[in-house]
Amino acid sequence: MVVDDHRLLAEALASALKLRGHRVLAAAAPAAGAAELVVSRAPEVCLLGTAAPAEPGAFDPVVRIKRDRPQVAVVVLGPVPSPRGIAAAFAAGASGYVRHDERIEGVERAIMKARAGESAVAPQLLQGAFSELLNPAAQPDDEGQRLLQMLTPREVEVLVRVADGEDTRLIAAGMGIAPSTARTHVQRVLMKLGVGSRLEAAALAARTGLLDRVGPFGPTAASTLPAGSSGG
C-alpha cells in the first residue's frame, strides 16, 4: 500500500510500482487516517509519506499499524530528516526511511529489504543522524536555521518569493534574471529542501520559522547564512 497526505503523489507512486510489476493493494490519503485501512488490508509493505517527520504524532499511524498488524513492514517516505525524525520513525516501528527525492529504484530496494525483515535506510542518512546526535549543534532543534544554511543567498530570495506566491515569470522579473534561470533556482531549492512542489517548500519554510529569519527578499543579517555562501 502507498499512503501519503497528497493523493496525487500516492497514486503516482502506486502507478509507477504497478508498471514495475508490484501488486499495489491501494493508494490512500491522508496518511493520518490510513492506519485502519492498512490494518484491514494487511499488505506486506506500507509506504507511508510524511512531510514533517520530527513533529509530535507524525508516526502515530506506524504505532497503530505495528500494534495491530506487526507483520506489516512500514517504510517511511519523507524529506531530509533531522536526527529526531530518524529516531522517531524507527522508535515507532518503521522498517525503513527513504527520502522523497529518491529514485524509484531506491524505493524498490527499500521495499525488498523491508519484506525480508531488514532495515531499509541509506547509510548516509544514518551517518548524518548519528553525527548530529553525537555532536549536537548549539541549537539542535532549530530546523529553520539548518535549512537556511543549506541555501545560497540567491536561493533564499527565490524561496521567499515562492512563499509569497510568485510564479516563475514574476521571480525572474523581480530578480532581473531569465525565466529559465529562475526555474533552475526553484528546482535547486526544492531539491535541497527535500520537497516535491513549491507549495510544500512554502509550507516547510513557514512551519520551521525559516521565513522569520529573512527580510522581504533575502537574509536580514549575514549571520543567518553559512560562512562563504554567495549568490548564484
Side-chain angles (χ1 to χ4, degrees):
M1 285 187 60
V2 182
V3 176
D4 195 283
D5 286 332
H6 300 86
R7 182 175 298 278
L8 184 61
L9 295 180
E11 292 179 350
L13 180 54
S15 297
L17 290 172
K18 286 178 181 178
L19 289 174
R20 299 175 76 89
H22 297 275
R23 180 169 176 247
V24 181
L25 298 181
E36 288 190 12
L37 183 59
V38 175
V39 169
S40 65
R41 299 296 293 273
E44 288 183 280
V45 179
C46 170
L47 299 178
L48 177 69
T50 178
E55 287 192 0
F59 299 114
D60 286 350
V62 180
V63 174
R64 165 74 193 285
I65 292 168
K66 297 303 292 185
R67 184 188 69 209
D68 295 345
R69 293 286 186 178
Q71 74 276 18
V72 175
V74 181
V75 175
V76 175
L77 304 177
V80 179
S82 65
R84 179 174 295 180
I86 281 280
F90 283 94
S95 297
Y97 192 107
V98 179
R99 284 176 48 165
H100 271 146
D101 59 355
E102 179 62 81
R103 298 174 64 87
I104 188 66
E105 293 84 0
V107 177
E108 282 189 300
R109 285 193 296 271
I111 291 173
M112 298 306 179
K113 284 187 175 182
R115 288 179 61 187
E118 302 175 17
S119 295
V121 58
Q124 58 267 33
L125 284 184
L126 284 181
Q127 182 181 11
F130 290 153
S131 176
E132 287 191 43
L133 287 171
L134 292 173
N135 303 288
Q139 295 179 316
D141 295 328
D142 193 339
E143 184 71 358
Q145 177 70 12
R146 187 184 71 83
L147 294 175
L148 187 61
Q149 290 177 338
M150 297 168 59
L151 305 175
T152 67
R154 180 61 61 91
E155 290 166 349
V156 170
E157 180 175 348
V158 169
L159 177 58
V160 172
R161 291 178 180 276
V162 166
D164 284 343
E166 295 188 11
D167 58 17
T168 300
R169 180 181 58 80
L170 288 175
I171 292 174
M175 297 178 66
I177 57 179
S180 59
T181 303
R183 193 174 299 109
T184 297
H185 283 313
V186 171
Q187 290 304 314
R188 287 177 178 170
V189 169
L190 299 185
M191 181 182 66
K192 287 186 176 182
L193 296 184
V195 297
S197 69
R198 298 183 183 208
L199 182 60
E200 287 182 85
L204 179 62
R207 186 178 65 249
T208 59
L210 189 155
L211 295 178
D212 297 332
R213 296 177 174 277
V214 298
F217 297 112
T220 55
S223 60
T224 64
L225 295 172
S229 290
S230 59

